[in-house]
Amino acid sequence: MHLILFIVFGGLCLAGAVNLLLQSHPINSALSLVVVMSSLAVLYLLLGAEFLAAAQIIVYAGAIMVLFVFVVMLLNAGREERTMGSRAAKIVGFPATSVVMAVIATIILKAQGLGTVS
């Protein structure tokens, strides 16, 4: 049961984080961040850290998000100008990300006794 909940809320956390990056409106990004913080609180509950889960909801999903939305509404930011991004970031970023992911995958696959408790 814990594994199923972990997979569901871990996936919800990842989906909220990706949605946070893809949203163009700041209020929608703030709501996606609330989803991420709430799913992290559930993951803390699964680990048995009830205080951290409560602090995650009260402090981060509550107070920090209220401040974030207040600042966004206070600034009344208009539309951003779209750019094509940095050419250097595209040339270096994608291969570097691939190398880092390959190293992490190799370490995980070569690890002995990854699921055992000593």
XYZ file of all heavy atoms in Angstrom:
860
model
N 0.821 -1.193 0.000
C 0.000 0.000 0.000
C 0.868 1.262 0.000
O 0.559 2.230 -0.685
C -0.927 -0.043 1.223
C -1.887 1.090 1.281
S -3.029 1.005 -0.094
C -3.923 2.482 0.140
N 1.954 1.228 0.818
C 2.845 2.391 0.880
C 3.532 2.627 -0.461
O 3.736 3.779 -0.856
C 3.900 2.209 1.979
C 3.349 2.399 3.356
N 3.016 3.631 3.844
C 3.071 1.506 4.330
C 2.559 3.507 5.064
N 2.574 2.215 5.389
N 3.883 1.554 -1.131
C 4.551 1.695 -2.427
C 3.617 2.335 -3.458
O 4.033 3.204 -4.222
C 5.044 0.331 -2.925
C 5.769 0.348 -4.269
C 7.036 1.189 -4.165
C 6.095 -1.052 -4.710
N 2.361 1.925 -3.442
C 1.392 2.505 -4.380
C 1.197 3.991 -4.101
O 1.200 4.821 -5.013
C 0.053 1.740 -4.304
C 0.237 0.316 -4.805
C -1.027 2.460 -5.108
C -0.945 -0.581 -4.561
N 1.049 4.349 -2.811
C 0.909 5.759 -2.450
C 2.152 6.552 -2.809
O 2.058 7.697 -3.269
C 0.607 5.900 -0.962
C -0.795 5.490 -0.521
C -0.914 5.521 0.997
C -1.829 6.384 -1.152
N 3.327 5.957 -2.589
C 4.568 6.641 -2.941
C 4.645 6.907 -4.440
O 5.005 8.002 -4.866
C 5.774 5.807 -2.499
C 7.081 6.409 -2.925
C 7.616 7.478 -2.242
C 7.756 5.915 -4.024
C 8.817 8.051 -2.639
C 8.949 6.470 -4.435
C 9.485 7.543 -3.734
N 4.287 5.919 -5.249
C 4.341 6.087 -6.708
C 3.332 7.141 -7.159
O 3.647 8.002 -7.992
C 4.105 4.738 -7.405
C 5.312 3.817 -7.177
C 3.850 4.922 -8.890
C 5.101 2.404 -7.633
N 2.122 7.105 -6.604
C 1.082 8.062 -7.003
C 1.488 9.487 -6.639
O 1.456 10.396 -7.478
C -0.272 7.687 -6.365
C -1.271 8.827 -6.510
C -0.814 6.428 -6.985
N 1.894 9.700 -5.384
C 2.211 11.062 -4.963
C 3.579 11.525 -5.468
O 3.793 12.717 -5.655
C 2.107 11.193 -3.445
C 0.683 11.268 -2.992
C 0.062 10.166 -2.437
C -0.050 12.425 -3.156
C -1.249 10.227 -2.042
C -1.366 12.495 -2.762
C -1.974 11.392 -2.207
N 4.493 10.600 -5.707
C 5.744 10.966 -6.362
C 5.507 11.423 -7.792
O 6.072 12.421 -8.250
N 4.642 10.704 -8.504
C 4.276 11.117 -9.860
C 3.526 12.433 -9.870
O 3.739 13.284 -10.748
N 2.658 12.644 -8.881
C 1.941 13.911 -8.771
C 2.911 15.060 -8.494
O 2.756 16.158 -9.048
C 0.895 13.820 -7.667
C -0.079 14.976 -7.535
C -0.940 15.083 -8.789
C -0.958 14.781 -6.321
N 3.906 14.794 -7.687
C 4.927 15.806 -7.396
C 5.722 16.157 -8.654
O 5.955 17.332 -8.941
C 5.848 15.298 -6.298
S 7.088 16.483 -5.775
N 6.119 15.152 -9.408
C 6.847 15.409 -10.654
C 5.980 16.121 -11.683
O 6.443 17.047 -12.366
C 7.374 14.101 -11.227
C 8.548 13.478 -10.493
C 8.875 12.115 -11.082
C 9.748 14.382 -10.543
N 4.725 15.709 -11.792
C 3.823 16.363 -12.746
C 3.581 17.820 -12.363
O 3.554 18.710 -13.228
C 2.501 15.608 -12.816
N 3.440 18.084 -11.066
C 3.266 19.463 -10.620
C 4.503 20.306 -10.874
O 4.404 21.482 -11.237
N 5.684 19.715 -10.704
C 6.926 20.456 -10.956
C 7.090 20.777 -12.439
O 7.495 21.886 -12.803
C 8.118 19.654 -10.447
N 6.759 19.812 -13.297
C 6.845 20.068 -14.739
C 5.812 21.121 -15.144
O 6.104 22.033 -15.922
C 6.648 18.756 -15.529
C 6.452 19.022 -17.005
C 7.833 17.832 -15.308
N 4.608 21.023 -14.586
C 3.569 22.008 -14.873
C 3.975 23.394 -14.373
O 3.668 24.399 -15.009
C 2.247 21.579 -14.239
C 1.088 22.389 -14.734
O 1.107 22.902 -15.850
N 0.067 22.500 -13.906
N 4.675 23.436 -13.257
C 5.173 24.705 -12.723
C 6.097 25.391 -13.716
O 6.026 26.598 -13.919
C 5.910 24.447 -11.404
C 6.680 25.607 -10.792
C 5.724 26.591 -10.162
C 7.658 25.094 -9.781
N 6.934 24.619 -14.370
C 7.871 25.191 -15.332
C 7.204 25.561 -16.651
O 7.642 26.493 -17.324
C 9.003 24.199 -15.595
C 9.896 23.890 -14.404
C 10.880 22.806 -14.769
C 10.604 25.133 -13.922
N 6.151 24.851 -17.028
C 5.536 25.069 -18.326
C 4.473 26.161 -18.333
O 4.102 26.638 -19.404
C 4.930 23.765 -18.849
C 5.930 22.651 -19.146
C 5.198 21.405 -19.622
C 6.953 23.100 -20.170
N 3.966 26.547 -17.176
C 2.911 27.551 -17.113
C 3.445 28.931 -17.465
O 4.548 29.303 -17.079
C 2.288 27.609 -15.715
C 1.448 26.427 -15.379
C 0.218 26.330 -16.239
O -0.371 27.320 -16.628
N -0.175 25.105 -16.549
N 2.653 29.700 -18.196
C 3.078 31.053 -18.545
C 2.499 32.093 -17.585
O 3.057 33.176 -17.446
C 2.643 31.380 -19.973
O 1.238 31.300 -20.072
N 1.428 31.773 -16.901
C 0.826 32.713 -15.958
C 1.349 32.431 -14.551
O 1.361 31.285 -14.113
C -0.701 32.568 -15.999
C -1.423 33.721 -15.417
N -1.767 33.773 -14.097
C -1.847 34.879 -15.971
C -2.381 34.911 -13.855
N -2.447 35.605 -14.983
N 1.786 33.455 -13.800
C 2.386 33.218 -12.486
C 1.437 32.618 -11.455
O 1.874 31.858 -10.592
C 2.857 34.601 -12.035
C 2.570 35.540 -13.110
C 1.874 34.848 -14.212
N 0.156 32.931 -11.531
C -0.788 32.366 -10.566
C -0.945 30.862 -10.793
O -1.007 30.078 -9.836
C -2.147 33.081 -10.654
C -1.994 34.568 -10.332
C -3.169 32.447 -9.729
C -1.499 34.857 -8.938
N -0.981 30.437 -12.039
C -1.045 29.002 -12.323
C 0.221 28.302 -11.854
O 0.173 27.158 -11.378
C -1.262 28.770 -13.813
C -2.617 29.252 -14.275
O -3.536 29.400 -13.477
N -2.740 29.514 -15.560
N 1.360 28.954 -11.983
C 2.607 28.386 -11.467
C 2.553 28.262 -9.951
O 3.021 27.267 -9.384
C 3.786 29.257 -11.867
O 3.971 29.241 -13.250
N 1.969 29.254 -9.278
C 1.844 29.190 -7.818
C 0.947 28.035 -7.402
O 1.240 27.333 -6.426
C 1.302 30.512 -7.288
N -0.128 27.808 -8.138
C -1.005 26.678 -7.813
C -0.304 25.339 -8.052
O -0.503 24.383 -7.291
C -2.291 26.769 -8.624
C -3.225 27.916 -8.225
C -4.402 27.985 -9.184
C -3.693 27.752 -6.803
N 0.522 25.275 -9.079
C 1.292 24.053 -9.311
C 2.295 23.821 -8.183
O 2.531 22.683 -7.779
C 2.033 24.140 -10.637
O 1.123 24.162 -11.700
N 2.852 24.911 -7.662
C 3.781 24.777 -6.537
C 3.062 24.306 -5.278
O 3.628 23.543 -4.486
C 4.492 26.102 -6.290
C 5.695 26.077 -5.360
C 6.744 25.092 -5.848
C 6.288 27.457 -5.237
N 1.818 24.700 -5.101
C 1.023 24.199 -3.979
C 0.807 22.698 -4.117
O 0.884 21.949 -3.137
C -0.321 24.954 -3.880
C -1.261 24.277 -2.911
C -0.081 26.391 -3.459
N 0.560 22.223 -5.332
C 0.400 20.780 -5.570
C 1.683 20.044 -5.221
O 1.663 18.993 -4.570
C -0.012 20.518 -7.037
C 0.076 19.038 -7.370
C -1.402 21.028 -7.293
N 2.825 20.604 -5.612
C 4.110 19.975 -5.304
C 4.330 19.917 -3.794
O 4.717 18.882 -3.251
C 5.264 20.731 -6.001
C 6.609 20.235 -5.513
C 5.163 20.584 -7.496
N 4.078 21.016 -3.105
C 4.287 21.049 -1.653
C 3.336 20.101 -0.924
O 3.723 19.449 0.051
C 4.102 22.478 -1.125
C 5.096 23.458 -1.633
S 6.762 22.999 -1.159
C 7.683 24.153 -2.133
N 2.108 20.006 -1.386
C 1.154 19.094 -0.746
C 1.531 17.631 -0.965
O 1.442 16.817 -0.044
C -0.249 19.349 -1.288
O -0.628 20.669 -1.038
N 1.981 17.304 -2.167
C 2.384 15.920 -2.410
C 3.665 15.586 -1.645
O 3.839 14.445 -1.198
C 2.543 15.655 -3.904
O 3.530 16.488 -4.448
N 4.538 16.562 -1.466
C 5.718 16.326 -0.623
C 5.317 16.075 0.827
O 5.938 15.256 1.523
C 6.676 17.510 -0.696
C 7.550 17.596 -1.929
C 8.371 18.875 -1.899
C 8.462 16.405 -2.042
N 4.287 16.766 1.289
C 3.802 16.533 2.648
C 3.280 15.107 2.809
O 3.523 14.462 3.832
C 2.713 17.546 2.998
N 2.600 14.594 1.807
C 2.116 13.210 1.871
C 3.298 12.236 1.866
O 3.297 11.233 2.581
C 1.143 12.919 0.715
C 0.770 11.450 0.670
C -0.095 13.776 0.848
N 4.332 12.547 1.089
C 5.521 11.694 1.098
C 6.200 11.710 2.467
O 6.693 10.677 2.933
C 6.496 12.132 0.002
C 6.025 11.906 -1.431
C 7.045 12.454 -2.412
C 5.762 10.440 -1.688
N 6.214 12.867 3.128
C 6.735 12.920 4.500
C 5.893 12.068 5.442
O 6.425 11.405 6.334
C 6.777 14.355 5.017
C 7.920 15.185 4.488
C 7.729 16.514 4.153
C 9.195 14.659 4.319
C 8.762 17.291 3.671
C 10.229 15.419 3.836
C 10.011 16.735 3.509
O 11.038 17.497 3.038
N 4.573 12.091 5.249
C 3.705 11.245 6.075
C 4.011 9.770 5.869
O 3.992 8.977 6.820
C 2.240 11.510 5.757
C 1.604 12.724 6.416
C 0.179 12.898 5.918
C 1.627 12.587 7.919
N 4.281 9.377 4.633
C 4.621 7.980 4.365
C 5.925 7.574 5.033
O 6.119 6.406 5.368
C 4.716 7.747 2.854
C 3.392 7.783 2.094
C 3.641 7.674 0.597
C 2.481 6.675 2.570
N 6.825 8.536 5.221
C 8.082 8.251 5.908
C 7.943 8.261 7.426
O 8.889 7.942 8.137
C 9.149 9.271 5.491
C 9.643 9.161 4.057
C 10.538 10.340 3.725
C 10.397 7.859 3.873
N 6.778 8.670 7.915
C 6.552 8.696 9.355
C 6.964 10.007 9.995
O 7.126 10.072 11.208
N 7.146 11.051 9.220
C 7.549 12.356 9.746
C 6.330 13.274 9.740
O 6.168 14.113 8.853
C 8.681 12.929 8.915
N 5.472 13.098 10.743
C 4.222 13.845 10.789
C 4.458 15.331 10.998
O 3.761 16.169 10.425
C 3.313 13.306 11.896
C 2.755 11.934 11.628
C 3.706 10.819 12.040
O 4.728 11.125 12.700
O 3.445 9.662 11.688
N 5.445 15.681 11.847
C 5.716 17.096 12.101
C 6.192 17.800 10.835
O 5.771 18.921 10.548
C 6.752 17.256 13.221
C 7.116 18.689 13.463
C 6.237 19.531 14.132
C 8.314 19.204 13.011
C 6.557 20.856 14.339
C 8.647 20.523 13.216
C 7.756 21.361 13.891
N 7.081 17.148 10.085
C 7.550 17.751 8.844
C 6.424 17.912 7.831
O 6.378 18.898 7.089
C 8.675 16.916 8.232
C 10.033 17.055 8.894
C 11.030 16.116 8.235
C 10.516 18.469 8.836
N 5.516 16.953 7.792
C 4.379 17.063 6.879
C 3.489 18.245 7.258
O 3.066 19.019 6.397
C 3.572 15.772 6.881
N 3.228 18.394 8.548
C 2.411 19.526 8.996
C 3.124 20.848 8.742
O 2.500 21.820 8.299
C 2.086 19.380 10.479
N 4.425 20.888 8.990
C 5.188 22.112 8.732
C 5.227 22.423 7.242
O 5.177 23.600 6.849
C 6.605 21.975 9.286
N 5.308 21.406 6.423
C 5.310 21.598 4.968
C 4.013 22.265 4.519
O 4.038 23.199 3.715
C 5.470 20.242 4.277
C 5.539 20.303 2.791
C 6.912 20.653 2.284
O 7.884 20.558 2.995
N 6.973 21.076 1.053
N 2.893 21.804 5.038
C 1.598 22.375 4.655
C 1.431 23.781 5.225
O 1.074 24.714 4.513
C 0.441 21.470 5.131
C 0.461 20.148 4.379
C -0.900 22.161 4.973
C 0.157 20.261 2.911
N 1.717 23.939 6.513
C 1.470 25.227 7.162
C 2.423 26.303 6.658
O 2.006 27.394 6.272
C 1.573 25.089 8.691
C 0.432 24.223 9.210
C 1.538 26.449 9.369
C 0.589 23.791 10.644
N 3.722 25.994 6.655
C 4.711 27.015 6.326
C 4.822 27.240 4.824
O 4.693 28.360 4.342
C 6.087 26.644 6.923
C 7.142 27.611 6.467
C 6.014 26.619 8.436
N 5.037 26.169 4.067
C 5.312 26.345 2.647
C 4.037 26.505 1.823
O 3.878 27.482 1.104
C 6.149 25.190 2.113
C 7.552 25.231 2.649
C 7.994 24.305 3.562
C 8.413 26.223 2.244
C 9.274 24.366 4.063
C 9.702 26.294 2.738
C 10.125 25.353 3.645
O 11.386 25.422 4.144
N 3.140 25.539 1.905
C 1.940 25.602 1.075
C 1.002 26.700 1.553
O 0.197 27.195 0.776
C 1.223 24.256 1.089
N 1.118 27.120 2.783
C 0.262 28.176 3.297
C 0.904 29.538 3.224
O 0.587 30.349 2.352
N 1.833 29.788 4.123
C 2.371 31.136 4.291
C 3.221 31.604 3.113
O 3.030 32.714 2.607
C 3.197 31.182 5.573
N 4.132 30.794 2.640
C 5.016 31.218 1.553
C 4.215 31.440 0.274
O 4.453 32.396 -0.470
C 6.132 30.178 1.328
C 6.980 30.011 2.591
C 6.994 30.546 0.144
C 7.723 31.247 3.024
N 3.243 30.588 0.001
C 2.454 30.751 -1.219
C 1.558 31.981 -1.144
O 1.327 32.651 -2.150
C 1.629 29.499 -1.501
C 2.478 28.313 -1.879
S 3.737 28.683 -3.109
C 2.779 29.259 -4.455
N 1.067 32.325 0.048
C 0.294 33.557 0.191
C 1.182 34.759 -0.097
O 0.776 35.690 -0.800
C -0.334 33.649 1.601
C -0.854 35.044 1.885
C -1.448 32.632 1.741
N 2.405 34.741 0.409
C 3.343 35.829 0.120
C 3.670 35.902 -1.370
O 3.740 36.986 -1.958
C 4.632 35.647 0.916
C 4.548 36.004 2.391
C 5.836 35.627 3.089
C 4.271 37.475 2.567
N 3.873 34.759 -1.995
C 4.189 34.723 -3.426
C 3.049 35.311 -4.253
O 3.261 36.147 -5.132
C 4.489 33.286 -3.854
C 4.827 33.151 -5.301
C 6.061 33.540 -5.769
C 3.905 32.645 -6.204
C 6.382 33.426 -7.114
C 4.208 32.517 -7.539
C 5.458 32.918 -7.994
N 1.834 34.886 -3.969
C 0.680 35.395 -4.714
C 0.487 36.883 -4.442
O 0.164 37.654 -5.345
C -0.586 34.576 -4.366
C -1.837 35.212 -4.926
C -0.438 33.156 -4.874
N 0.725 37.317 -3.194
C 0.619 38.740 -2.870
C 1.608 39.564 -3.675
O 1.253 40.609 -4.232
C 0.850 38.944 -1.373
C 0.842 40.382 -0.960
C -0.342 41.101 -0.920
C 2.023 41.016 -0.629
C -0.345 42.430 -0.545
C 2.028 42.350 -0.261
C 0.838 43.054 -0.214
N 2.846 39.108 -3.785
C 3.854 39.841 -4.551
C 3.507 39.849 -6.035
O 3.644 40.875 -6.710
C 5.261 39.246 -4.307
C 6.274 39.794 -5.283
C 5.701 39.524 -2.883
N 3.043 38.730 -6.565
C 2.671 38.672 -7.980
C 1.524 39.648 -8.257
O 1.540 40.387 -9.243
C 2.278 37.232 -8.382
C 1.583 37.208 -9.724
C 3.515 36.365 -8.421
N 0.540 39.672 -7.387
C -0.584 40.586 -7.591
C -0.154 42.037 -7.382
O -0.664 42.939 -8.049
C -1.732 40.246 -6.634
C -2.291 38.868 -6.859
S -2.747 38.597 -8.553
C -4.471 38.779 -8.449
N 0.770 42.291 -6.472
C 1.239 43.647 -6.222
C 2.024 44.194 -7.402
O 1.877 45.356 -7.784
C 2.100 43.675 -4.956
C 2.609 45.029 -4.484
C 1.432 45.867 -4.004
C 3.608 44.854 -3.372
N 2.844 43.345 -8.018
C 3.649 43.785 -9.152
C 2.823 43.964 -10.418
O 3.182 44.751 -11.289
C 4.770 42.785 -9.421
C 5.874 42.739 -8.385
C 6.868 41.656 -8.736
C 6.564 44.073 -8.262
N 1.749 43.200 -10.533
C 0.880 43.252 -11.707
C 1.704 43.133 -12.994
O 1.623 43.970 -13.888
C 0.045 44.532 -11.711
C -1.122 44.434 -12.663
O -1.448 43.348 -13.135
N -1.740 45.564 -12.941
N 2.516 42.092 -13.038
C 3.419 41.894 -14.173
C 2.625 41.573 -15.436
O 1.660 40.815 -15.415
C 4.388 40.753 -13.876
N 3.046 42.186 -16.522
C 2.401 41.948 -17.808
C 3.009 40.745 -18.511
O 3.718 39.934 -17.925
N 2.760 40.651 -19.790
C 3.285 39.562 -20.603
C 4.782 39.697 -20.785
O 5.304 40.803 -20.929
C 2.628 39.561 -21.982
C 1.272 38.968 -21.989
C 1.449 37.498 -21.980
N 0.239 36.795 -22.335
C 0.015 35.583 -21.927
N 0.886 34.986 -21.169
N -1.064 34.963 -22.282
N 5.471 38.567 -20.774
C 6.907 38.550 -21.013
C 7.200 38.484 -22.492
O 6.429 37.921 -23.268
C 7.546 37.334 -20.345
C 7.712 37.465 -18.870
C 8.498 36.293 -18.300
O 9.073 35.518 -19.100
O 8.523 36.160 -17.095
N 8.341 39.025 -22.853
C 8.788 38.915 -24.236
C 9.460 37.562 -24.404
O 10.365 37.200 -23.644
C 9.778 40.036 -24.540
C 10.301 40.014 -25.949
C 11.295 41.137 -26.198
O 11.098 42.222 -25.656
O 12.270 40.880 -26.920
N 9.025 36.802 -25.394
C 9.582 35.465 -25.641
C 10.898 35.582 -26.389
O 11.023 36.355 -27.334
C 8.616 34.626 -26.471
C 7.386 34.234 -25.736
C 7.654 33.019 -24.937
N 6.423 32.547 -24.319
C 6.406 31.558 -23.495
N 7.511 30.942 -23.199
N 5.292 31.180 -22.960
N 11.878 34.801 -25.941
C 13.156 34.730 -26.643
C 13.401 33.295 -27.070
O 12.736 32.370 -26.615
C 14.311 35.199 -25.737
O 14.375 34.331 -24.599
C 14.112 36.628 -25.276
N 14.378 33.110 -27.926
C 14.689 31.766 -28.414
C 15.626 31.020 -27.466
O 15.908 29.858 -27.662
C 15.338 31.849 -29.806
C 14.399 32.412 -30.862
S 12.874 31.458 -31.008
C 13.506 29.941 -31.666
N 16.133 31.660 -26.455
C 17.031 31.009 -25.511
C 18.474 31.141 -25.936
O 18.798 31.625 -27.017
N 19.345 30.705 -25.085
C 20.773 30.811 -25.343
C 21.241 29.669 -26.238
O 20.928 28.506 -26.004
C 21.534 30.777 -24.021
O 22.904 30.675 -24.251
N 22.011 30.001 -27.245
C 22.554 28.971 -28.141
C 23.576 28.111 -27.408
O 23.625 26.902 -27.588
C 23.174 29.646 -29.357
C 23.722 28.678 -30.366
C 24.224 29.431 -31.601
N 25.049 28.590 -32.427
C 24.604 27.921 -33.475
N 23.336 27.997 -33.789
N 25.415 27.173 -34.185
N 24.381 28.736 -26.547
C 25.377 27.984 -25.777
C 24.709 26.989 -24.830
O 25.204 25.877 -24.632
C 26.272 28.940 -24.999
N 23.581 27.388 -24.250
C 22.872 26.484 -23.346
C 22.347 25.261 -24.101
O 22.356 24.148 -23.579
C 21.726 27.216 -22.668
N 21.912 25.462 -25.328
C 21.426 24.326 -26.118
C 22.567 23.417 -26.533
O 22.433 22.192 -26.534
C 20.685 24.833 -27.355
C 19.355 25.461 -27.037
C 18.666 25.936 -28.290
C 17.364 26.632 -27.939
N 16.715 27.199 -29.115
N 23.702 24.003 -26.893
C 24.839 23.199 -27.359
C 25.459 22.407 -26.216
O 25.790 21.233 -26.360
C 25.882 24.100 -28.048
C 25.296 24.652 -29.352
C 27.173 23.355 -28.310
C 26.164 25.711 -30.014
N 25.623 23.038 -25.068
C 26.292 22.393 -23.930
C 25.293 21.681 -23.021
O 25.597 20.623 -22.463
C 27.104 23.442 -23.133
C 27.715 22.845 -21.891
C 28.171 24.067 -24.005
N 24.090 22.229 -22.880
C 23.138 21.724 -21.897
C 22.618 20.329 -22.169
O 22.603 19.484 -21.269
N 22.197 20.054 -23.385
C 21.625 18.741 -23.678
C 22.649 17.606 -23.552
O 22.363 16.594 -22.909
C 20.972 18.745 -25.061
C 19.719 19.574 -25.122
C 19.575 20.551 -26.086
C 18.695 19.381 -24.215
C 18.424 21.327 -26.143
C 17.540 20.148 -24.252
C 17.413 21.128 -25.223
N 23.864 17.740 -24.113
C 24.836 16.664 -23.905
C 25.265 16.514 -22.442
O 25.440 15.393 -21.955
C 26.026 17.070 -24.777
C 25.467 17.992 -25.798
C 24.336 18.692 -25.129
N 25.392 17.628 -21.739
C 25.783 17.551 -20.332
C 24.701 16.855 -19.512
O 25.008 16.034 -18.640
C 26.052 18.951 -19.783
N 23.454 17.152 -19.795
C 22.355 16.487 -19.097
C 22.340 14.998 -19.396
O 22.129 14.170 -18.500
C 21.018 17.126 -19.506
O 21.061 18.520 -19.218
C 19.858 16.491 -18.779
N 22.590 14.627 -20.635
C 22.635 13.212 -21.009
C 23.756 12.481 -20.289
O 23.579 11.355 -19.815
C 22.818 13.073 -22.515
O 21.762 13.685 -23.197
N 24.917 13.125 -20.181
C 26.055 12.497 -19.493
C 25.751 12.317 -18.011
O 26.010 11.247 -17.440
C 27.339 13.332 -19.712
C 28.448 12.889 -18.788
C 27.782 13.253 -21.157
N 25.183 13.331 -17.370
C 24.863 13.231 -15.939
C 23.825 12.137 -15.705
O 23.955 11.337 -14.769
C 24.380 14.598 -15.404
C 23.777 14.466 -14.021
C 25.524 15.590 -15.392
N 22.803 12.060 -16.551
C 21.793 11.019 -16.389
C 22.379 9.624 -16.621
O 22.007 8.671 -15.936
C 20.620 11.265 -17.333
C 19.847 12.520 -16.984
S 19.286 12.489 -15.298
C 17.569 12.325 -15.554
N 23.297 9.494 -17.570
C 23.944 8.204 -17.818
C 24.802 7.785 -16.631
O 24.809 6.609 -16.243
C 24.791 8.281 -19.089
N 25.502 8.727 -16.028
C 26.325 8.409 -14.845
C 25.443 7.974 -13.685
O 25.733 6.988 -13.001
C 27.202 9.626 -14.461
C 27.822 9.447 -13.093
C 28.272 9.854 -15.501
N 24.338 8.677 -13.459
C 23.432 8.310 -12.374
C 22.817 6.941 -12.628
O 22.739 6.100 -11.712
C 22.341 9.387 -12.203
C 22.956 10.671 -11.659
C 21.228 8.904 -11.286
C 22.005 11.848 -11.625
N 22.410 6.674 -13.861
C 21.834 5.364 -14.194
C 22.864 4.248 -14.010
O 22.538 3.172 -13.501
C 21.313 5.369 -15.624
N 24.109 4.497 -14.395
C 25.167 3.498 -14.222
C 25.415 3.211 -12.753
O 25.565 2.050 -12.344
C 26.465 3.976 -14.897
O 26.192 4.261 -16.262
C 27.552 2.932 -14.797
N 25.461 4.244 -11.932
C 25.674 4.058 -10.495
C 24.544 3.253 -9.881
O 24.771 2.345 -9.078
C 25.837 5.425 -9.799
C 27.159 6.069 -10.205
C 25.761 5.288 -8.291
C 27.316 7.499 -9.755
N 23.320 3.564 -10.259
C 22.171 2.835 -9.705
C 22.176 1.387 -10.159
O 21.921 0.474 -9.368
C 20.858 3.540 -10.093
C 20.741 4.863 -9.347
C 19.652 2.657 -9.804
C 19.572 5.703 -9.765
N 22.486 1.132 -11.421
C 22.475 -0.239 -11.929
C 23.625 -1.072 -11.384
O 23.496 -2.285 -11.221
C 22.510 -0.221 -13.461
C 21.245 0.309 -14.137
C 21.443 0.387 -15.640
C 20.047 -0.563 -13.798
N 24.768 -0.457 -11.097
C 25.924 -1.200 -10.591
C 25.917 -1.383 -9.081
O 26.727 -2.112 -8.552
C 27.216 -0.475 -10.984
C 27.437 -0.366 -12.476
C 27.810 -1.670 -13.072
C 28.033 -1.468 -14.565
N 28.470 -2.631 -15.238
N 25.023 -0.695 -8.367
C 24.981 -0.771 -6.909
C 24.582 -2.180 -6.462
O 23.626 -2.751 -6.958
C 24.005 0.254 -6.348
N 25.336 -2.708 -5.522
C 25.052 -4.040 -4.974
C 24.268 -3.907 -3.687
O 24.577 -3.075 -2.840
C 26.361 -4.787 -4.700
C 27.179 -5.056 -5.924
C 26.476 -6.021 -6.879
O 25.806 -6.944 -6.442
N 26.642 -5.774 -8.170
N 23.251 -4.731 -3.522
C 22.466 -4.724 -2.278
C 21.687 -3.445 -2.085
O 21.591 -2.943 -0.973
N 21.126 -2.907 -3.148
C 20.431 -1.638 -3.080
C 19.155 -1.738 -2.243
O 18.812 -0.832 -1.509
C 20.090 -1.144 -4.484
C 19.629 0.291 -4.625
C 20.721 1.238 -4.145
C 19.283 0.600 -6.068
N 18.475 -2.858 -2.295
C 17.214 -2.998 -1.581
C 17.313 -3.754 -0.270
O 16.304 -4.063 0.340
N 18.502 -4.058 0.205
C 18.636 -4.842 1.435
C 18.843 -3.926 2.628
O 19.365 -2.832 2.506
C 19.820 -5.809 1.334
O 21.018 -5.059 1.123
C 19.624 -6.775 0.180
N 18.420 -4.414 3.781
C 18.596 -3.680 5.037
C 19.677 -4.403 5.830
O 19.632 -5.604 6.031
C 17.275 -3.642 5.849
C 17.487 -2.947 7.174
C 16.207 -2.975 5.040
N 20.652 -3.643 6.273
C 21.742 -4.296 7.029
C 21.606 -4.095 8.501
O 20.917 -3.294 9.006
C 23.094 -3.741 6.563
O 23.107 -2.343 6.654
